[in-house]
Amino acid sequence: MTVHAVELPELWMPHPLRVNPFLSALRQESETWARDMGMLGGERGPTADGPVWTRSQFHAMTVDQLTAWTLPDAPPAALRLNHRFNIWALAWDDYFATAFKQTGDLPGARAFTTRLHRFLGPEPDRFPEPANPVERGIADLQRHLFPPRLAHWRAEFNRALVRYVDAGVEELSNSLDGRVPHLIEYAPFRRDSFAAHTAPYSVELATGARIPEQIRRTRTVRALLDAFMDFMGLANDIASYEREVHEENDVNNLVVVLGSSLGISLHDAVIAALNLVNSRLRDFEHLRLADLPLIVEAAGLDPAERAELDTWLRGACGFLSGIHAWYTGAPRYAPSDVPFPE
C-alpha cells in the first residue's frame, strides 16, 4: 500500500479472511436493487435527481465483495439486506462528494441533508416522496431493515445515520474553511462520519446474536465497540487518502489531522496513522481476550448467553478482517491487478 508515494508496512490483521459462500448469488442480483432505486444509468456524474454511477463504475466498486467479506456467516436474506445498505452508504458518499464537496456547495449540502432527516424518523410510512436515488434507497431500506427480532435497533440505527449525513456537512464546512479537525476530537467524529455505529447492527443481523444485556453497557464493552469502530473509519482514512485529499480537497483525514496536530511531515504522519490504527486493533484484541472474560464471569452469564456473545464476537472479527481485505485489495482503494479472494 502507498499513500502519495509513501511506502507503508501492512495494516495488521490477526483474523483470517473468510468469504460468505453466497457471494456468487450477490453478484447475480447486485445491480438490480441499485438500478431499481435509480442509482445506475447515465454516463455523467450525479445530478439533482439522476443516477449516481454508470454500470461500469458500479461494478468496479465490488460492493458484493465488501458485503461477502465482512459478513462471512450471514444467511442469504441477511446478506442481501446488508448488501443493499452498503450500496446505499456508498451511493450517499459518492453523490455527496460529487454534488457538494467537489463543487463547494454548502447550502445545497445542507438542504440535501435536511431532506434526508425526514427519512430517518420513527415512522416509515410517513416519509415524503423521494426526490433522488439516495432518498429512494433509504426509504426502501427503512421498510426492511428492522424485522421483529431487530426492531430494537430502529432508533439507534437511525440516530447513527443522522450523525453520518450531518458529519458530511461538517466535513464540507471544514474543507471550505481549511479547518483541520484536532486529533483529540477526530476519532469520535470519524465514528459518525463513517457510519461506524451501524456496524454492530450489521454483525447482529448477520449472526443472529446479540451482546447480552447484562454487559452491554459496561465500560469494557463500550471500549471494545469504540476500538472496533475506530479501526474501520481510521483505516479507511489511510486507504482513501489519495482520493479524499488530492481529488476531493478534503481535510477530514487521519493523515492530515496527525500532520496538522503534531506538526510532522507527510511521511511521518502516514506512519503515525498506521501505528494508531494498528494500536486500536490491538486494543480490541486485548479487550476481547483479556478484559471481556472477566466481565462475563462477574456478570454470571449462563452458557447460552456466553455462546451468543462468542457468536457475536466471531462475527465482529470477521467484519474487521473483511474491511481490511477490502481496503487492501478492492479496486476502490487498490490497483486493478490485485487478485480478489473468492
Side-chain angles (χ1 to χ4, degrees):
M1 182 187 297
T2 62
V3 173
H4 205 56
V6 177
E7 293 293 332
L8 285 179
E10 291 296 322
L11 283 167
W12 179 58
M13 178 47 61
H15 305 291
L17 177 66
R18 297 185 294 121
V19 182
N20 194 290
F22 300 106
L23 171 58
S24 59
L26 274 191
R27 283 180 173 149
Q28 292 171 13
E29 65 101 48
S30 185
E31 71 176 67
T32 303
W33 184 78
R35 190 173 296 282
D36 289 346
M37 297 300 107
M39 297 171 182
L40 301 185
E43 297 304 314
R44 298 180 301 162
T47 58
D49 57 359
V52 180
W53 304 295
T54 65
R55 187 171 182 270
S56 60
Q57 288 172 334
F58 176 74
H59 285 286
M61 291 191 303
T62 63
V63 192
D64 50 356
Q65 288 172 322
L66 168 65
T67 308
W69 292 352
T70 53
L71 303 177
D73 302 315
L79 190 72
R80 185 178 303 110
L81 186 55
N82 204 85
H83 183 51
R84 292 178 179 181
F85 175 70
N86 286 339
I87 292 170
W88 178 83
L90 288 169
W92 175 89
D93 188 45
D94 286 354
Y95 183 98
F96 195 91
T98 303
F100 306 117
K101 285 187 176 180
Q102 292 179 12
T103 63
D105 182 7
L106 185 58
R110 285 176 171 152
F112 174 70
T113 300
T114 298
R115 280 269 307 178
L116 277 181
H117 284 185
R118 298 175 64 187
F119 294 87
L120 299 172
E123 299 182 55
D125 296 326
R126 301 186 65 178
F127 298 149
E129 184 66 25
N132 56 60
V134 176
E135 291 182 358
R136 279 192 289 276
I138 197 60
D140 184 76
L141 284 169
Q142 288 289 309
R143 297 184 180 99
H144 299 96
L145 276 172
F146 311 108
R149 75 175 181 85
L150 290 169
H152 59 282
W153 264 101
R154 178 179 290 279
E156 186 174 347
F157 189 92
N158 282 340
R159 279 196 298 269
L161 290 188
V162 167
R163 292 198 298 266
Y164 176 51
V165 299
D166 285 353
V169 175
E170 186 172 347
E171 285 183 334
L172 177 56
S173 178
N174 287 344
S175 294
L176 292 176
D177 292 342
R179 183 176 60 248
V180 179
H182 192 276
L183 178 59
I184 298 301
E185 66 187 19
Y186 187 65
F189 175 69
R190 192 67 179 109
R191 293 172 207 153
D192 290 344
S193 67
F194 191 73
H197 292 277
T198 66
Y201 161 88
S202 295
V203 174
E204 188 171 327
L205 172 68
T207 62
R210 299 180 64 182
I211 298 174
E213 195 64 34
Q214 301 95 304
I215 65 170
R216 184 186 302 274
R217 293 172 178 81
T218 62
R219 179 178 297 179
T220 296
V221 170
R222 290 200 305 269
L224 180 137
L225 290 175
D226 284 349
F228 172 64
M229 294 185 287
D230 285 347
F231 177 85
M232 291 182 283
L234 299 179
N236 178 272
D237 279 358
I238 299 175
S240 60
Y241 174 89
E242 291 286 349
R243 177 169 58 86
E244 291 181 355
V245 176
H246 293 286
E247 295 178 19
E248 300 175 5
N249 299 313
D250 199 341
V251 300
N252 305 278
N253 181 282
L254 180 63
V255 176
V256 177
V257 167
L258 284 166
S260 174
S261 295
L262 302 180
I264 56 180
S265 67
L266 170 63
H267 179 278
D268 290 344
V270 169
I271 300 303
L274 180 83
N275 289 337
L276 179 57
V277 171
N278 286 342
S279 175
R280 291 306 279 149
L281 184 55
R282 291 191 183 94
D283 290 340
F284 174 84
E285 289 296 289
H286 178 82
L287 288 159
R288 180 177 71 90
L289 297 173
D291 292 359
L292 194 58
L294 301 178
I295 298 298
V296 167
E297 189 68 29
L301 297 187
D302 62 34
E305 291 165 333
R306 294 183 184 215
E308 184 168 21
L309 176 62
D310 287 344
T311 298
W312 190 92
L313 289 169
R314 174 177 164 82
C317 293
F319 197 98
L320 291 176
S321 66
I323 281 280
H324 172 270
W326 205 56
Y327 289 163
T328 56
R332 190 174 177 90
Y333 303 106
S336 60
D337 58 352
V338 174
F340 299 139
E342 298 291 341

